[in-house]
Amino acid sequence: MIEKYKHVIWYWNGTIINDLDLCVELINGLLIERRLKTLTAESYREVFTIPVKNYYAKLGFDFSKESFEIVGKQWMTEYERRKFECGLYDGVKNVLQKINQLGIGLSILSAYSQHTLDEMVEYHGLTNYFTHIVGLDNIYAASKLHLGKDLMKRLGNGKGETLLIGDTEHDYEVACEIGAYCVLIANGHQSKKKLEKLGAIVFPTLDPLLDR
């Protein structure tokens, strides 16, 4: 299915980098501090959403008593300290190599901060695969929509020429807004059940991307 596209836009967290377990562990640490109910990986996938402020509110954080910016920074500081514990999903490099061999361009679009995104992509030896690596200018994981629109302008592709690969409802929403076709991978930050409700194509792993 890949061959018909000129460019493939990838999301980073939960699509290329497998940070699910770390994210669950870190949010549980904050929940325990506030005597709130903790999460399993399964319950996390059911409640996680973007923007993450809404997800925190669902978990019981009271932003009338404490600032989201402070809580978010607390989470991100610990994530930054431990980010290199996270590895790539199985098969990522193989998929990227095969797409490159087909002459199809690749980019990353992420709600991760730009500086750290660049650092992580380089650490995992992926920089040379991508023509554009696009992140946010802050740490609070709000919408990627404006970044996606800007990236599409830079790519200059027509309708139906770009594929976007992600793992959340927000990724699908961005794809629809910027005019990209979308495939979602159900081993990231949201459950297969939630993703299938969107009407999007949902794969359990990256492997089916290369099926002809």
Side-chain angles (χ1 to χ4, degrees):
M1 63 171 294
I2 289 287
E3 290 88 342
K4 65 180 181 179
Y5 299 102
K6 289 185 177 180
H7 203 92
V8 180
I9 299 173
W10 292 76
Y11 291 119
W12 176 252
N13 303 84
T15 306
I16 292 178
I17 194 79
N18 185 356
D19 61 352
L20 175 68
D21 290 342
L22 178 59
C23 290
V24 173
E25 182 181 341
L26 297 185
I27 195 63
N28 279 341
L30 297 180
L31 291 169
I32 290 168
E33 288 179 9
R34 291 157 180 81
R35 299 182 180 180
L36 297 170
K37 184 178 179 181
T38 57
L39 300 171
T40 63
E42 291 72 24
S43 60
Y44 169 91
R45 282 183 164 125
E46 293 301 326
V47 72
F48 179 77
T49 191
I50 293 175
V52 295
K53 184 175 182 179
N54 297 345
Y55 146 66
Y56 277 57
K58 286 183 181 180
L59 296 178
F61 288 84
D62 186 349
F63 295 126
S64 68
K65 296 180 179 178
E66 61 180 337
S67 165
F68 165 68
E69 285 71 25
I70 292 174
V71 175
K73 189 174 189 303
Q74 184 180 356
W75 187 96
M76 184 55 74
T77 296
E78 188 63 11
Y79 185 97
E80 287 298 299
R81 187 178 71 82
R82 298 179 56 187
K83 63 182 180 290
F84 294 117
E85 296 177 17
C86 303
L88 303 177
Y89 279 101
D90 291 342
V92 164
K93 284 192 175 181
N94 179 55
V95 172
L96 295 177
Q97 287 170 355
K98 290 187 176 181
I99 295 174
N100 266 177
Q101 289 168 3
L102 292 169
I104 299 167
L106 296 166
S107 291
I108 291 175
L109 176 65
S110 177
Y112 207 1
S113 66
Q114 183 71 59
H115 171 76
T116 312
L117 178 62
D118 290 337
E119 181 183 23
M120 287 288 284
V121 175
E122 178 67 27
Y123 174 81
H124 288 285
L126 301 179
T127 303
N128 291 338
Y129 289 109
F130 299 101
T131 58
H132 300 82
I133 298 173
V134 181
L136 286 175
D137 60 0
N138 63 74
I139 65 170
Y140 297 111
S143 174
K144 301 185 283 277
L145 179 56
H146 67 291
L147 298 177
K149 288 180 175 179
D150 180 67
L151 177 57
M152 287 293 279
K153 287 179 182 177
R154 283 193 272 169
L155 295 176
N157 288 346
K159 186 176 181 181
E161 294 180 333
T162 302
L163 173 66
L164 189 150
I165 302 171
D167 71 299
T168 69
E169 296 163 315
H170 181 63
D171 300 340
Y172 178 74
E173 292 165 0
V174 171
C176 292
E177 286 289 329
I178 67 176
Y181 190 73
C182 185
V183 167
L184 298 174
I185 311 299
N187 61 356
H189 289 269
Q190 289 189 322
S191 69
K192 182 180 179 182
K193 179 181 176 182
K194 289 188 75 170
L195 298 178
E196 287 181 336
K197 288 180 179 179
L198 300 169
I201 289 180
V202 181
F203 292 149
T205 66
L206 295 173
D207 292 338
L209 288 169
L210 297 177
D211 290 346
R212 293 177 181 273

